[in-house]
Amino acid sequence: MTDDRHIEDGIWLLCSNSAVRRASRQLGQLYEDAMGDTGLKGTQFSLLSQIARSGEPSLKNLAEAMVMDLSALGHTLKPLLRDGLVELVPDGSDRRVKRVRLTETGTAKQRELTARWQVAQDRFDRAFGKEKSEELRRTLAFISSPDFARSFGKGEAD
Amino acid sequence: MTDDRHIEDGIWLLCSNSAVRRASRQLGQLYEDAMGDTGLKGTQFSLLSQIARSGEPSLKNLAEAMVMDLSALGHTLKPLLRDGLVELVPDGSDRRVKRVRLTETGTAKQRELTARWQVAQDRFDRAFGKEKSEELRRTLAFISSPDFARSFGKGEAD
DNA sequence: CATATATAGTGGCATATGCCAGTAAATTCC
DNA sequence: GGAATTTACTGGCATATGCCACTATATATG
């Protein structure tokens, strides 16, 4: 081995941003592995699921829900549109607005993925503890909320 | 407004992977804003900092520390190499190995960024609570550890 | 109503990440 | 010692994300 340096200490113990990104890389791997080859990535599953729950959300609303940049959402949907899992439909009253809808194929795929995803989530819950797992998700949801962004921003000019 | 749908409920309350990714997008934004225009992204700062702490790590070791794919690390370092913040030096004993080193410019930049980063981190600690903040980072570090990956994998074929 | 603004999306460019298929060097195994 | 295997990296391809500039609508304003 080149270098058996212990990796105990790192910027991730000081920087919450680094810590979260690092964990998201790890979970990305673990979930992907656990879900097996579904042909879709974690983010794509999240998107399909959120679309399913939201009932034809506008791109704007979906982006907000996902805490994602609107243009990033647009880019990310491209492969899903290309593969016919989702489609964009113009809003009835506001011609600027486009709504996202799962196609039949998309709905089926989402259901199939959900079954596999449950396997991964069960493993997470078992490895981390069901209670703690729920608490963690609530914590992360709080950090992702506009409220948190607001109080974070408060430290601005005082 | 097109659609004032409440965004209380979402896949992120069920899926830890989605929850972490969503939070990482939020924190990416908040830290970026708080740090102001440094010309570098959050990940780049993390990398420079970790390199600084590691003392000329091999790409492999750095990738492991960051819980990052080796090739991904290589790609991510490209802009930093291009801009002369880091350089690759061949290992003395193993010719397969390349070590990453901060250049003088890189060291200076890292120090400058650290000052700004502290501002962002302070805001996070204030908004989230210093204690909870530390605990969260430890939790995320645990989730990012090989130990966690192992116990996660245990749910495999039993 | 005409213009000034604000809002929703799109497209281009850049970085972030991962997988897979090589390449080269080190190690293991006859 | 030489072939088989493992290890460290590189490069190509694809998705993930974000910023900015631009277009089309919708809304507010005088």
Side-chain angles (χ1 to χ4, degrees), chain A residues 93-150:
Chain A
S93 57
D94 188 332
R95 281 186 300 174
R96 289 171 304 181
V97 175
K98 289 182 184 173
R99 291 174 176 285
V100 200
R101 171 199 292 163
L102 292 185
T103 60
E104 270 187 50
T105 312
T107 304
K109 191 76 178 176
Q110 197 278 325
R111 268 199 272 270
E112 177 202 332
L113 288 180
T114 298
R116 293 175 181 243
W117 159 78
Q118 189 65 55
V119 174
Q121 187 56 43
D122 284 347
R123 285 196 200 173
F124 183 90
D125 288 351
R126 217 177 317 165
F128 193 63
K130 192 149 183 67
E131 297 303 310
K132 286 182 62 187
S133 175
E134 278 172 23
E135 192 199 323
L136 176 63
R137 290 194 295 274
R138 278 194 298 273
T139 295
L140 292 170
F142 167 59
I143 289 177
S144 308
S145 72
D147 267 10
F148 181 77
R150 244 188 305 286

Side-chain angles (χ1 to χ4, degrees), chain B residues 15-52:
Chain B
C15 175
S16 303
N17 185 31
S18 303
V20 174
R21 295 184 79 79
R22 187 161 171 264
S24 84
R25 287 191 291 266
Q26 169 87 302
L27 288 189
Q29 293 296 113
L30 296 178
Y31 273 69
E32 195 101 1
D33 289 353
M35 291 178 68
D37 183 22
T38 61
L40 294 186
K41 300 303 195 63
T43 298
Q44 301 182 317
F45 168 68
S46 301
L47 275 176
L48 292 185
S49 297
Q50 193 52 34
I51 295 169

Side-chain angles (χ1 to χ4, degrees), chain B residues 64-108:
Chain B
E64 268 167 18
M66 299 294 290
V67 187
M68 198 179 270
D69 180 90
L70 175 59
S71 78
L73 173 62
H75 297 317
T76 303
L77 284 176
K78 289 269 172 65
L80 299 176
L81 285 162
R82 180 198 60 201
D83 300 340
L85 299 180
V86 303
E87 56 189 355
L88 295 181
V89 297
D91 182 84
S93 57
D94 189 331
R95 279 184 301 172
R96 292 171 303 180
V97 174
K98 288 182 185 173
R99 291 175 175 286
V100 200
R101 173 198 291 163
L102 292 185
T103 60
E104 269 186 52
T105 312
T107 304

Side-chain angles (χ1 to χ4, degrees), chain B residues 112-149:
Chain B
E112 176 202 333
L113 287 180
T114 297
R116 293 175 180 245
W117 159 78
Q118 189 65 55
V119 174
Q121 187 56 41
D122 285 347
R123 286 196 198 174
F124 183 90
D125 288 350
R126 218 176 317 164
F128 192 65
K130 193 151 181 66
E131 297 304 311
K132 287 182 60 187
S133 175
E134 277 172 23
E135 192 201 322
L136 175 63
R137 290 193 294 275
R138 278 195 298 272
T139 295
L140 293 170
F142 168 59
I143 289 177
S144 308
S145 73
D147 267 9
F148 181 76

Side-chain angles (χ1 to χ4, degrees), chain A residues 43-44 69 71-72 75 82 94-96:
Chain A
T43 299
Q44 301 182 316
D69 180 271
S71 78
H75 297 317
R82 181 198 58 200
D94 188 332
R95 281 186 300 174
R96 289 171 304 181

